[in-house]
């Protein structure tokens, strides 16, 4: 994610892709004064993501300095990262993810039924945001009565995410973080007495040769799910709706061939990558594509640019719903590759299937809606709906 990765990032239109194209062609590794190096080509982005010994994820000064903040897996290097990832992965298996299909289906149906009846409205507040927040709340065992508070903490924290990770968080974000920590510490204590049936409870009881997760590490994981899993999934749903707006025939095609949905989701991840860039720090003096980089320099691997690299993807600037192969980097690569990728894919597929069932079409009120730089989703996307006849 970029240093400006908060909802106040300047919104960028489709021209962001023209800029990426120019970077790939003429300045594959470049930077503006005082900014991180931008890496634009697929092979270089791939290399930066994979070579974790050269490109450190310890980019959050605040995380390193602030003794009260727990280490977030996303911003750690081995061996700390290996331990956290191994522990968390054992509670994040395909079986555990598959087991969530029914509750995601039910949540989606309830939201879409209500939304479809409204004929127009806000895609974000009515569907694309509550779906992933609800899924994560269920994973963390947030009880129904606490959901509104949980959503409020989540919104407040995400609004300030760039500052939380890399700068000075706002008083509102600090307060929301404090309330959320207190809430989850209480839940964790209660789970330690009586196990429950959800991911947080599984994590509390994960017992491997690596040992058990501490309260601080469990809390870190609750925050990480909010940061990594919410707005990215919202943004994936927005990407799908962008395509239905731009190419209404796709909606009809998927309606008659729902087996195309998984490929459509993959192409949306490539074409409208929700996590446009991430951040690394050079661990030593090195070169990327011949460009000397000094130890300590920050580097932005532009995932969204890599995913449109014409040397890798045939007709890269075209949305091809059944594209194969589709080796996009939307979920990253290497040791930090997205832990929630199967969950996000499942949510995307279920969300699209639900739209196809309840609607005959969906369009954006503002077809020139900007894309956000960094990662995250817009706060509001007004749409017109054509409920299924
Ligand atoms: C379409 C939705 C999503 C996209 C595009 C996405 C993308 C990514 C990317 C690119 C990374 C790697 C970042 C880096 O290397 O610096 C990442 C990491 C991660 N994601 Fe996702 N993500 C999505 C949804 C989710 C969901 C739903 C969850 C969990 C509920 C999740 C959990 C994580 C975690 C825990 C990590 C950190 C892994 C590590 O550091 O080892 N993500 N995600």
């Amino acid at each position: 994610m970029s240093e400006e990765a908060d909802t106040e990032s300047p919104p960028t239109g489709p021209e962001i892709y023209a800029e990426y194209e120019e970077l790939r062609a003429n300045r594959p590794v470049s930077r503006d004064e005082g900014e991180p190096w931008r890496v634009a080509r697929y092979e270089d982005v791939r290399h930066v993501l994979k070579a974790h010994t050269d490109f450190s994820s310890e980019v959050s000064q605040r995380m390193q300095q602030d003794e009260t903040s727990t280490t977030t897996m996303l911003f750690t290097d081995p061996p700390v990262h290996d331990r956290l990832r191994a522990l968390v992965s054992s509670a994040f298996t395909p079986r555990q993810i598959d087991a969530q299909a029914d509750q995601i289906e039910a949540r989606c149906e309830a939201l879409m039924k209500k939304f479809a009846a409204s004929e127009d409205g806000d895609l974000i507040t009515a569907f694309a945001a509550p779906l992933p927040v609800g899924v994560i709340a269920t994973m963390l065992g947030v009880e129904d009565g606490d959901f509104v508070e949980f959503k409020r903490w989540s919104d407040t924290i995400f609004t300030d995410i760039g500052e939380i990770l890399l700068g000075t968080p706002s008083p509102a974000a600090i307060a929301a973080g404090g309330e959320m920590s207190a809430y989850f510490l209480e839940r964790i204590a209660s789970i330690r007495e009586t196990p429950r049936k959800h991911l947080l409870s599984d994590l509390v009881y994960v017992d491997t040769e690596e040992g058990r997760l501490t309260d601080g590490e469990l809390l870190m994981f609750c925050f990480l799910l909010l940061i990594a899993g919410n707005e990215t999934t919202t943004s994936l749903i927005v990407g799908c709706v962008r395509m239905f707006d731009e190419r209404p025939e796709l909606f009809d095609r998927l309606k008659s061939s729902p087996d195309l949905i998984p490929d459509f989701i993959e192409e949306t991840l490539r074409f409208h990558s929700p996590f446009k860039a991430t951040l690394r720090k050079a661990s030593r003096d090195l070169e990327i594509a011949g460009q000397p980089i000094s130890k300590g320099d920050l580097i932005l691997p532009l995932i969204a640019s890599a995913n449109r690299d014409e040397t890798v993807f045939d007709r890269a600037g075209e949305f091809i719903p059944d594209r194969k192969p589709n080796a996009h980097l939307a979920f990253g690569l290497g040791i930090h590759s997205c832990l929630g990728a199967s969950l996000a894919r499942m949510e995307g597929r279920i969300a699209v299937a639900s739209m196809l069932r309840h609607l005959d079409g969906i369009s954006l009120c503002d077809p020139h809606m900007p894309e956000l730089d960094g990662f995250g989703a817009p706060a509001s996307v007004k749409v017109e709906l054509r409920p299924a006849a």
Side-chain angles (χ1 to χ4, degrees):
M1 72 211 65
S2 80
E3 232 166 326
E4 300 77 30
D6 57 27
T7 48
E8 288 175 14
S9 309
T12 42
E15 55 272 16
I16 193 174
Y17 295 110
E19 189 190 339
Y20 290 159
E21 195 178 338
E22 192 275 321
L23 289 176
R24 285 193 303 274
N26 305 317
R27 297 178 290 150
V29 184
S30 64
R31 71 170 167 186
D32 296 331
E33 187 68 36
E35 295 289 315
W37 291 99
R38 290 180 299 182
V39 177
R41 288 182 182 159
Y42 184 95
E43 285 310 327
D44 298 332
V45 169
R46 199 170 184 282
H47 170 65
V48 171
L49 293 177
K50 284 199 85 172
H52 63 267
T53 48
D54 283 346
F55 302 100
S56 166
S57 286
E58 290 188 354
V59 293
S60 173
Q61 292 303 321
R62 191 171 165 264
M63 292 286 168
Q64 314 310 320
Q65 288 162 3
D66 182 352
E67 285 177 11
T68 61
S69 89
T70 43
T71 315
T72 295
M73 181 162 78
L74 196 53
F75 297 109
T76 55
D77 288 335
V80 176
H81 176 266
D82 294 347
R83 172 172 178 276
L84 292 174
R85 174 108 185 179
L87 283 167
V88 166
S89 302
S90 62
F92 225 77
T93 60
R95 192 178 51 80
Q96 276 145 321
I97 299 306
D98 286 349
Q100 311 216 31
D102 289 349
Q103 68 97 354
I104 298 176
E105 215 38 271
R107 194 173 289 282
C108 233
E109 272 304 286
L111 290 168
M112 188 40 75
K113 237 179 179 163
K114 199 164 158 211
F115 193 33
S118 68
E119 294 197 8
D120 61 16
D122 193 328
L123 175 69
I124 302 293
T125 52
F127 186 63
L131 178 65
V133 174
V135 170
I136 287 171
T138 305
M139 290 168 89
L140 298 179
V142 173
E143 286 168 4
D144 281 354
D146 302 328
F147 184 76
V148 172
E149 279 293 273
F150 179 71
K151 173 88 175 67
R152 185 177 63 74
W153 297 328
S154 162
D155 289 349
T156 314
I157 290 169
F158 205 88
T159 303
D160 210 33
I161 196 64
E163 287 299 315
I164 289 172
L165 298 176
L166 299 159
T168 315
S170 69
I174 293 173
E179 285 170 37
M180 199 172 115
S181 299
Y183 174 82
F184 277 112
L185 284 174
E186 212 182 294
R187 305 284 310 155
I188 291 165
S190 148
I191 293 167
R192 286 200 200 283
E193 280 175 18
T194 319
R196 314 288 206 289
K197 281 196 173 147
H198 52 67
L199 181 124
L200 180 59
S201 181
D202 292 349
L203 280 176
V204 168
Y205 286 94
V206 149
D207 206 356
T208 69
E209 57 191 27
E210 298 287 333
R212 284 204 173 168
L213 288 166
T214 63
D215 280 4
E217 287 165 343
L218 288 162
L219 211 48
M220 169 283 291
F221 192 70
C222 297
F223 277 92
L224 179 56
L225 285 197
L226 276 190
I227 294 167
N230 255 338
E231 299 245 346
T232 42
T233 311
T234 301
S235 169
L236 169 61
I237 297 172
V238 173
C240 295
V241 171
R242 272 183 191 277
M243 293 320 304
F244 292 146
D245 173 74
E246 233 170 84
R247 307 246 315 260
E249 83 282 0
L250 278 178
F251 198 87
D252 302 331
R253 187 165 162 204
L254 291 181
K255 250 189 193 251
S256 52
S257 313
D259 49 337
L260 243 185
I261 296 174
D263 288 347
F264 170 81
I265 295 291
E266 293 309 304
E267 182 66 341
T268 307
L269 286 161
R270 181 190 76 84
F271 202 72
H272 288 298
S273 306
F275 211 123
K276 296 211 161 25
T278 186
L279 196 59
R280 294 290 188 269
K281 190 168 72 180
S283 306
R284 59 178 179 86
D285 290 346
L286 45 79
E287 286 186 2
I288 307 175
Q291 171 65 55
I293 309 277
S294 304
K295 180 177 176 180
D297 281 358
L298 288 176
I299 299 152
L300 272 179
L302 299 175
I303 290 174
S305 169
N307 283 343
R308 297 233 184 169
D309 190 326
E310 36 296 279
T311 65
V312 175
F313 299 96
D314 215 19
R315 292 148 64 203
E318 230 180 280
F319 186 95
I320 302 177
D322 51 358
R323 179 183 292 278
K324 277 208 181 78
N326 194 346
H328 65 72
L329 302 177
F331 290 118
L333 210 66
I335 63 166
H336 289 279
S337 68
C338 180
L339 201 56
S342 347
L343 178 67
R345 286 182 162 118
M346 187 201 278
E347 284 186 64
R349 289 197 296 263
I350 294 177
V352 166
S354 166
M355 281 191 249
L356 296 171
R357 241 188 334 270
H358 288 277
L359 303 174
D360 279 341
I362 179 165
S363 47
L364 301 174
C365 294
D366 171 12
H368 305 295
M369 184 183 82
E371 288 230 26
L372 291 179
D373 209 349
F375 80 139
S380 160
V381 173
K382 294 279 195 274
V383 289
E384 277 172 25
L385 307 167
R386 284 191 302 291

